[in-house]
């Protein structure tokens, strides 16, 4: 069995690499939060379709509208909205 000795310098190098890696992860996380999701907010969809909130809930339940929830805000899939408009909703 081979024993490997770790020096203080090795630990300092490891610490610097670890901090650098964590900073990169935080930057990626921060930029992903600032990106706008692909979709419309509820108020926009209501204006486009000319319907009430209860109708949107009904369309979500029937799976005619796909949604994504980001930070407490629902975003509706643009393709689903386009399909409903083309069908003459």
């Amino acid at each position: 069995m081979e024993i490997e000795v770790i020096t203080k310098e090795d630990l300092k190098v490891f610490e610097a690499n670890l901090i650098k890696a964590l900073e990169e992860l935080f930057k990626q996380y921060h930029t992903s939060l600032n990106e706008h999701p692909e979709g419309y907010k509820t108020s926009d969809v209501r204006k486009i379709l000319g319907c009430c909130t209860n109708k949107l809930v009904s369309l979500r339940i029937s799976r005619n509208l796909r949604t994504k929830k980001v930070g407490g805000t629902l975003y509706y899939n643009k393709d689903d909205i386009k399909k409903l408009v083309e069908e003459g909703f």
Side-chain angles (χ1 to χ4, degrees):
M1 177 183 234
E2 190 175 320
I3 297 176
E4 191 172 330
V5 178
I6 298 175
T7 63
K8 286 185 179 182
E9 184 62 34
D10 293 335
L11 290 175
K12 287 181 182 180
V13 169
F14 174 74
E15 178 187 26
N17 290 338
L18 182 61
I19 289 173
K20 184 178 178 182
L22 288 174
E23 286 174 348
E24 287 179 23
L25 283 175
F26 285 131
K27 284 180 186 176
Q28 289 175 356
Y29 177 74
H30 183 67
T31 55
S32 69
L33 286 179
N34 290 335
E35 293 176 358
H36 297 288
E38 289 293 320
Y40 298 114
K41 289 185 176 183
T42 301
S43 59
D44 298 330
V45 174
R46 288 184 60 217
K47 289 176 187 173
I48 292 169
L49 297 179
C51 65
C52 65
T53 306
N54 292 337
K55 184 62 180 176
L56 290 180
V57 172
S58 174
L59 290 169
R60 283 197 321 257
I61 291 172
S62 66
R63 299 190 189 261
N64 288 325
L65 283 178
R66 292 175 287 175
T67 59
K68 181 181 278 189
K69 193 169 189 176
V70 178
T73 304
L74 281 176
Y75 291 94
Y76 292 83
N77 186 297
K78 288 183 178 182
D79 295 331
D80 293 345
I81 302 298
K82 183 178 178 182
K83 185 176 92 175
L84 284 173
V85 170
E86 288 173 353
E87 291 174 356
F89 180 83

